[in-house]
Amino acid sequence: MDTDPRDPSSVFPADFVWGVATSSHQVEGGNTGNQWAEWEKRGKIKSKDSCGLACDWWQNAEQDFDLAQSLGLNALRLSVEWSRIEPEEGKWDGAALARYRQMLLGLRERGLRSFVTLHHFTNPQWFEAKGAFAAAESVVLFERFTRRVLEALGDLCCDWATFNEPNVYTSLGYFLGEFPPGKKGRFIQAGRVTCNLCLAHAAAYRAIHSLQKNANVGWAQHFVVFKPRRPQSALDRWLCGFIQRRFNDNFAEGIRRGRAPFPFSKFGQELPEVKGSCDFVGINYYSRLRVGFAARSPKTLFFQISVPPHKPQGDSGIEIPYGEAYPEGLRNAVEHFAEYNKPIYILENGVPDRDDRIRPWVIESTVSQMRTLLTEGVDLRGYFHWTLADNFEWNEGWHLRFGLFELDPATQKRTPRASAQLYARLIKEAGALVRT
Ligand code: FCB
């Protein structure tokens, strides 16, 4: 490529996507019909916070759209809440769909391209009660939901992510018990859930393409850089390799090769209908973790994650470290998915950092890493920072703060952190094209 790597605007294409990412439950407020609301009622949020109004998007997402516009962004990623759109099985809420139309129009008016995720961790309670994605019926139910969303919103958006982080959904929900339904060590069930997520993804992929000519469809894969805690220990090295394959390739291998997830892959099971069902690979990248064997830790299934104390870290989770902030790892992520030969979008990247101690460094290093990757010819199309304003961080509640803007959930006041201006400056220097 004939570019000067020192001049950012000559490296980032003018239509490079610069955005922020969000999800319905974390920002909308008032989502009482999904399994996370139930999880909160059962006292499972570690901070004991309640999601409440969240960032009040159901009433006023537009104030955050204004902030996004003020930073010079040209895109925003949000998700639609299945439990609002189909509050009872087979019953559709036209008002909820109308509100999403209004939001997507609001984004368009502000020159922000919308990326819509169809499933970001939350299930309607009626669907959860049927076994969610552990049940075979989930595939047709998800496809029907996708079609309804496309019919209602398809003229306003053509960039779709079917599932957000299917690997996090299954490993935290069925293996570590950190997310609903709170199951632990269920290898086989987790495999079945991943199978159905793959099939539901492929069905949605085809449904979207049958309804929209110019659709751009992918999913968001969470990628972690794993390292053995004691590189000299054969056990740690084995464990690290095992976890890295299970986690980073879970679901994704179904799409690349049509391979059934572990443990079914071991019996030669295949999912041919899933193979190739993506137009892009979406990567959510945050951190590096050391994994080590821990004989006395049955609670964590005999492995433990850790971060060496001298490594840069944002804030820690209530019980477990969030991970080492390791911007160079974006390269590992991108190289890991290079074999897909598809355009890549970074659909999430960020750090929990209430005091904005290291976020500026994370953002700056990540942008510089992307510049290098683009210069090397990587087909990187966009970057979404997680997130615009602090939002409700799942089982950590309001404890972990990822926002470019600090949010006081009680008053809904937003205060920019230094990172907000920094991100705006970097986008400007990169010469982003803002659509009007
Ligand atoms: C990702 C999730 C997102 C948010 C960030 C911090 O794993 O997709 O909803 O919680 O982490």
Side-chain angles (χ1 to χ4, degrees):
M1 222 194 267
D2 188 18
T3 50
D4 174 1
R6 284 161 309 178
D7 172 9
S9 63
S10 74
V11 174
F12 287 97
D15 61 353
F16 192 82
V17 172
W18 293 100
V20 281
T22 63
S23 90
S24 56
H25 189 70
Q26 295 177 275
V27 298
E28 286 176 358
N31 277 321
T32 52
N34 65 36
Q35 93 281 30
W36 270 93
E38 201 51 40
W39 190 247
E40 181 180 315
K41 263 200 229 149
R42 287 172 52 199
K44 296 284 200 178
I45 306 297
K46 293 178 181 173
S47 57
K48 302 298 168 207
D49 291 327
S50 82
C51 185
L53 274 184
C55 304
D56 202 21
W57 272 35
W58 202 245
Q59 323 294 331
N60 191 6
E62 287 72 4
Q63 69 174 316
D64 279 345
F65 296 173
D66 286 341
L67 290 181
Q69 185 184 24
S70 76
L71 296 183
L73 305 184
N74 59 17
L76 189 141
R77 176 177 169 226
L78 52 74
S79 74
V80 285
E81 176 62 34
W82 189 356
S83 66
R84 282 191 192 275
I85 294 173
E86 192 180 2
E88 284 173 56
E89 186 176 352
K91 298 224 169 98
W92 306 95
D93 186 335
L97 286 165
R99 175 65 182 129
Y100 285 120
R101 281 194 67 77
Q102 199 180 31
M103 286 192 201
L104 297 188
L105 278 166
L107 290 173
R108 181 176 279 188
E109 279 159 16
R110 291 168 180 81
L112 297 161
R113 173 169 160 190
S114 48
F115 278 64
V116 172
T117 313
L118 292 163
H119 185 277
H120 196 125
F121 294 163
T122 52
N123 297 324
Q125 269 169 37
W126 60 260
F127 179 80
E128 191 72 19
K130 293 182 141 207
F133 288 96
E137 195 194 357
S138 58
V139 177
V140 289
L141 293 173
F142 184 72
E143 183 190 340
R144 187 176 63 175
F145 163 67
T146 301
R147 287 185 179 275
R148 193 70 201 87
V149 171
L150 259 286
E151 283 155 15
L153 309 178
D155 57 327
L156 298 176
C157 170
C158 58
D159 299 292
W160 308 93
T162 53
F163 287 99
N164 180 69
E165 303 185 342
N167 53 343
V168 169
Y169 177 87
T170 44
S171 43
L172 298 196
Y174 293 85
F175 190 67
L176 294 173
E178 292 266 324
F179 277 17
K183 307 253 159 92
K184 284 194 178 165
R186 305 282 182 92
F187 260 123
I188 308 267
Q189 201 180 21
R192 191 168 308 122
V193 170
T194 305
C195 252
N196 287 332
L197 287 169
C198 280
L199 294 168
H201 161 87
Y205 176 83
R206 280 190 290 272
I208 298 172
H209 277 287
S210 74
L211 293 166
Q212 196 177 52
K213 273 206 200 78
N214 54 344
N216 184 33
V217 190
W219 85 106
Q221 179 80 14
H222 192 111
F223 182 87
V224 170
V225 178
F226 290 105
K227 276 200 88 178
R229 185 150 67 93
R230 292 154 297 206
Q232 69 284 9
S233 149
L235 201 53
D236 281 8
R237 287 201 306 273
W238 178 84
L239 193 68
C240 180
F242 180 80
I243 290 178
Q244 117 85 25
R245 284 190 299 281
R246 295 291 80 81
F247 187 80
N248 288 334
D249 294 333
N250 172 301
F251 187 89
E253 280 288 277
I255 296 185
R256 181 156 75 112
R257 297 179 208 265
R259 194 152 92 183
F262 182 84
F264 307 117
S265 52
K266 297 284 170 214
F267 306 109
Q269 202 175 313
E270 292 191 353
L271 299 172
E273 62 275 63
V274 176
K275 189 173 172 180
S277 57
C278 76
D279 307 315
F280 67 84
V281 178
I283 299 176
N284 294 359
Y285 173 65
Y286 288 86
S287 57
R288 174 159 79 170
L289 288 173
R290 314 279 153 151
V291 288
F293 180 68
R296 278 192 238 118
S297 232
K299 236 184 114 190
T300 60
L301 304 169
F302 302 106
F303 75 92
Q304 225 163 33
I305 57 167
S306 57
V307 179
H310 58 282
K311 296 289 184 189
Q313 271 190 80
D315 302 333
S316 176
I318 290 172
E319 289 166 2
I320 20 186
Y322 191 78
E324 174 191 346
Y326 180 59
E328 299 99 292
L330 192 76
R331 168 180 291 279
N332 304 43
V334 164
E335 286 176 353
H336 190 82
F337 294 106
E339 281 179 37
Y340 286 65
N341 274 323
K342 298 280 181 187
I344 292 179
Y345 292 88
I346 308 303
L347 288 183
E348 286 181 29
N349 169 256
V351 62
D353 186 6
R354 191 182 283 257
D355 298 329
D356 218 32
R357 290 176 289 116
I358 63 165
R359 186 179 288 105
W361 166 74
V362 168
I363 295 178
E364 207 148 10
S365 319
T366 304
V367 170
S368 132
Q369 179 77 261
M370 291 196 293
R371 188 181 307 134
T372 312
L373 291 165
L374 281 167
T375 326
E376 290 170 11
V378 172
D379 190 4
L380 190 58
R381 303 281 176 97
Y383 170 85
F384 290 80
H385 191 75
W386 184 278
T387 186
L388 185 71
D390 294 338
N391 60 37
F392 195 73
E393 180 52 26
W394 307 112
N395 58 354
E396 301 278 350
W398 294 106
H399 174 71
L400 290 182
R401 303 295 187 117
F402 284 84
L404 296 170
F405 288 79
E406 181 184 345
L407 173 87
D408 178 344
T411 61
Q412 286 295 317
K413 186 168 183 270
R414 279 124 170 101
T415 312
R417 295 190 167 99
S419 289
Q421 278 324 308
L422 169 73
Y423 189 36
R425 175 168 65 73
L426 294 172
I427 294 172
K428 199 164 170 217
E429 284 170 9
L433 182 75
V434 176
R435 305 180 320 167
T436 44

